[in-house]
Amino acid sequence: MELQWIRENMETEQILSARPTQAVVEAEVALPGGLREEARVYYADATASVSGGELTGSRVMTDGKVMFHVLYAQGDLSKIASLETSADFHQALPLKEENIQPAAVHLHPRAQVQHVSAKAFNGRLLLQAIIDLTADAALPRNLSFIRDVAENENIQRATQVLSMQRAVGEGENTALLKEEFELSDVLQIKDTLYATAHAQVEDILGGADGKATVTGVIQLEAYHTADMPGRPLVYTRHSMPFEQAVNLSGALGDALIARSTVRDVAVLSRDGDDNGKIMRTEVQLHTEITAVESRELTALKDVFTLSGPDVEKSSQHVFYRTDTVNEQAAESGKTVIMLPEGSPRIKQMLLSFARPILVRAEKQNGKLITEGILEASLVYLTDDSEIPVSIAQEEPFRAVFSTQADENDHLMLAASQVEASAITGDRAEMKYILRLTAEGVRKGEADVITDAAETEAQERPRGISLYFLQKGESAWDIARRYRIPVEEIGEMNPDFSDAVPGTPVIIYKK
């Protein structure tokens, strides 16, 4: 009797990952004062964003921009000013695996600043940022496979269930959000220097019109000059809710995954009513949404006949996405900073900054343990001068997060709500919030049968045989070897489930 194969089409999504790559981005900008005026850098910060990417052969080409923010003084070193500039980058990231099939690609590049340096020289600022770049490329794959075979008393078959996930729609949107905040007159703010911000996604809603809406909160930290006695620098914190609608190309799928990132922040303070100040804020927010569909496919794993012609199979090894990781978590931390030997003693702490550099991550008992170096910067006043002093130290950190992410995901750390207070003249305690963003995919792989045909086979002799179990063999392997029903292995050998290599197995071919 001819076997009847049941075929189906499999739509999968293979994920290719680029090797993490570091790039150095440099910029140079003229200071507004004279060439001979002394200039001093108090702190340099930067943010990186990727504006585009392209998969070319075995590489991902990325384009992006680094925004630099510098706190400095020139001439009168007690008067702090700020400067902003940008620099573009174009970087190639080699793939971990070779892409051998051209296809439409969904690219997800990422960039994070690891280190920033700034130096004043001959009336100019020389800026440098070291950034980490990563990327994933999702490649749609279509494959015709054999799902099952029609019932037949002469066959034995085994099937497998593949849990798959694939992107069925995506969209992105960049918006300029504007808001005004009242600044307390108690702070006696003169001018606003610059601000940092990060976005926290809280909810994603899908609509029937092909749009998805992302809601969340942008947390801002702004730095100002002030007329307060002994406090020429102050900072304020603000919350800015947002709601962004994104048009999706494709379907809404079963679930929506969103990522909102702040690409730039512009702040300006002006006089308000009642002698206070108003801070005008503009935030460039970029939002990406991916709609994913999850499904389970049943595929024929193996098949053989009990007598007569056997089956010759053609198989293909497939890779596919099983799940998506997109999580945010936060943990508090603190460290004690000893000033370098010979540093001026602390009288009044003004500002503090921290940039975490992840060195190691490990998943243990459902927790993600992270360890690294914290680049800590302090700006403070001393006893004998109104000119601020800045120092930078590297301190180790360890943070444990409750998250489903593991060390194989893309892990990005940032510090916020950084506050430092002097313990003694040469020692300060820094407290901070570490924010973790984890992105990644879970991958699966399997051999699926793409074609099958009956072929001649030698009949096994009938009767009782004794077979000695080999390492790694299952009841199915033995049944296929002797062309007998799988259940008969257990009937003849009740203790087979506990058998070890070398155990004799009774075979009865009727």
Side-chain angles (χ1 to χ4, degrees):
M1 181 178 179
E2 185 177 354
L3 299 179
Q4 297 180 10
W5 307 108
I6 303 172
R7 297 180 178 275
E8 191 172 326
N9 187 59
M10 178 188 299
E11 296 180 346
T12 67
E13 190 175 70
Q14 182 180 353
I15 303 298
L16 301 179
S17 298
R19 298 186 185 279
T21 303
Q22 278 197 340
V24 177
V25 181
E26 297 179 330
E28 185 176 329
V29 61
L31 293 172
L35 293 177
R36 295 185 179 180
E37 287 184 320
E38 182 183 357
R40 180 179 298 177
V41 174
Y42 288 101
Y43 180 68
D45 194 13
T47 57
S49 60
V50 180
S51 57
E54 181 182 3
L55 180 63
T56 58
S58 60
R59 299 185 302 173
V60 175
M61 305 301 299
T62 59
D63 298 292
K65 178 179 290 187
V66 173
M67 298 294 302
F68 291 94
H69 297 274
V70 183
L71 297 182
Y72 74 100
Q74 186 180 23
D76 185 351
L77 299 183
S78 65
K79 295 183 177 180
I80 308 299
S82 66
L83 184 146
E84 177 183 300
T85 191
S86 65
D88 297 330
F89 65 84
H90 183 70
Q91 183 67 39
L93 285 66
L95 291 176
K96 294 180 180 179
E97 310 94 351
E98 185 72 19
N99 175 29
I100 59 175
Q101 297 182 14
V105 177
H106 304 292
L107 273 178
H108 298 281
R110 309 168 186 84
Q112 184 179 30
V113 174
Q114 290 283 33
H115 178 72
V116 183
S117 63
K119 180 180 179 182
F121 181 74
N122 286 343
R124 305 186 71 82
L125 273 181
L126 308 179
L127 305 169
Q128 184 184 85
I130 299 175
I131 60 174
D132 279 352
L133 292 165
T134 58
D136 286 330
L139 286 76
R141 302 293 195 208
N142 291 318
L143 178 68
S144 176
F145 70 103
I146 297 178
R147 179 170 62 86
D148 207 345
V149 59
E151 288 287 346
N152 188 314
E153 62 181 12
N154 191 43
I155 64 167
Q156 293 281 286
R157 73 186 193 284
T159 58
Q160 56 186 331
V161 177
L162 308 180
S163 298
M164 296 182 173
Q165 189 182 83
R166 65 187 182 98
V168 294
E170 63 177 5
E172 59 181 335
N173 177 47
T174 301
L176 187 63
L177 308 182
K178 300 180 180 181
E179 186 63 271
E180 291 188 346
F181 300 97
E182 291 187 5
L183 302 176
S184 173
D185 55 355
V186 174
L187 298 176
Q188 301 182 44
I189 291 174
K190 292 169 53 181
D191 192 18
T192 298
L193 298 172
Y194 89 106
T196 61
H198 72 273
Q200 176 81 34
V201 173
E202 294 184 340
D203 198 9
I204 317 167
L205 300 175
D209 55 355
K211 290 185 177 181
T213 301
V214 179
T215 59
V217 177
I218 298 172
Q219 302 290 350
L220 294 107
E221 298 187 12
Y223 305 93
H224 319 267
T225 57
D227 282 330
M228 294 178 65
R231 291 295 301 272
L233 295 173
V234 297
Y235 61 90
T236 58
R237 297 193 178 108
H238 313 272
S239 294
M240 186 174 172
F242 70 87
E243 179 177 304
Q244 290 295 295
V246 180
N247 291 316
L248 290 179
S249 60
L252 285 175
D254 304 318
L256 295 172
I257 300 168
R259 177 174 62 160
S260 291
T261 55
V262 174
R263 288 188 167 178
D264 193 18
V265 185
V267 287
L268 176 68
S269 57
R270 61 175 177 82
D271 292 335
D273 299 332
D274 302 325
N275 298 322
K277 286 277 188 178
I278 300 294
M279 185 177 73
R280 297 177 59 187
T281 304
E282 294 184 352
V283 176
Q284 188 183 64
L285 183 70
H286 183 72
T287 300
E288 301 174 41
I289 296 182
T290 302
V292 297
E293 178 186 77
S294 300
R295 62 181 300 198
E296 289 188 345
L297 289 180
T298 299
L300 190 64
K301 186 177 182 180
D302 199 4
V303 61
F304 65 88
T305 60
L306 300 176
S307 62
D310 205 354
V311 178
E312 183 178 355
K313 305 172 293 291
S314 297
S315 299
Q316 183 170 328
H317 197 68
V318 296
F319 298 88
Y320 53 93
R321 182 207 300 221
T322 63
D323 200 3
T324 302
V325 177
N326 184 49
E327 290 195 55
Q328 293 178 311
E331 288 292 334
S332 60
K334 64 180 180 179
T335 185
V336 174
I337 301 172
M338 293 289 296
L339 300 188
E341 187 175 349
S343 298
R345 294 175 65 83
I346 301 171
K347 175 185 177 182
Q348 174 66 55
M349 191 68 65
L350 299 178
L351 300 177
S352 54
F353 308 90
R355 179 181 295 108
I357 301 173
L358 182 64
V359 175
R360 176 179 172 271
E362 183 180 3
K363 194 68 177 286
Q364 288 185 7
N365 301 322
K367 305 283 187 178
L368 182 66
I369 302 172
T370 61
E371 296 177 345
I373 299 296
L374 196 70
E375 289 188 345
S377 299
L378 303 177
V379 182
Y380 61 92
L381 290 177
T382 64
D383 287 323
D384 54 359
S385 175
E386 294 182 355
I387 297 176
V389 173
S390 65
I391 65 104
Q393 288 277 87
E394 291 186 346
E395 301 290 338
F397 75 85
R398 184 178 186 271
V400 181
F401 296 94
S402 297
T403 173
Q404 297 298 316
D406 61 32
E407 61 271 17
N408 298 313
D409 295 320
H410 299 288
L411 306 175
M412 294 168 281
L413 288 175
S416 63
Q417 300 184 33
V418 182
E419 294 183 352
S421 57
I423 301 174
T424 61
D426 61 352
R427 183 181 302 180
E429 181 184 65
M430 176 179 284
K431 297 180 180 179
Y432 52 87
I433 300 295
L434 271 187
R435 295 182 288 105
L436 170 72
T437 301
E439 298 176 354
V441 296
R442 300 289 181 260
K443 303 175 185 178
E445 55 183 291
D447 290 310
V448 297
I449 299 175
T450 55
D451 203 2
E454 295 184 34
T455 183
E456 292 186 7
Q458 291 184 346
E459 286 287 347
R460 280 280 185 175
R462 304 180 184 277
I464 296 178
S465 304
L466 194 62
Y467 177 77
F468 292 92
L469 184 65
Q470 304 298 307
K471 185 177 180 180
E473 282 188 321
S474 65
W476 176 271
D477 298 322
I478 300 173
R480 182 176 53 188
R481 177 190 295 269
Y482 285 92
R483 301 181 71 184
I484 62 175
V486 179
E487 61 271 14
E488 290 187 5
I489 299 292
E491 292 173 0
M492 298 297 297
N493 303 270
D495 298 326
F496 182 84
S497 59
D498 298 324
V500 298
T503 300
V505 180
I506 300 173
I507 309 298
Y508 178 38
K509 186 170 178 62
K510 299 177 183 178

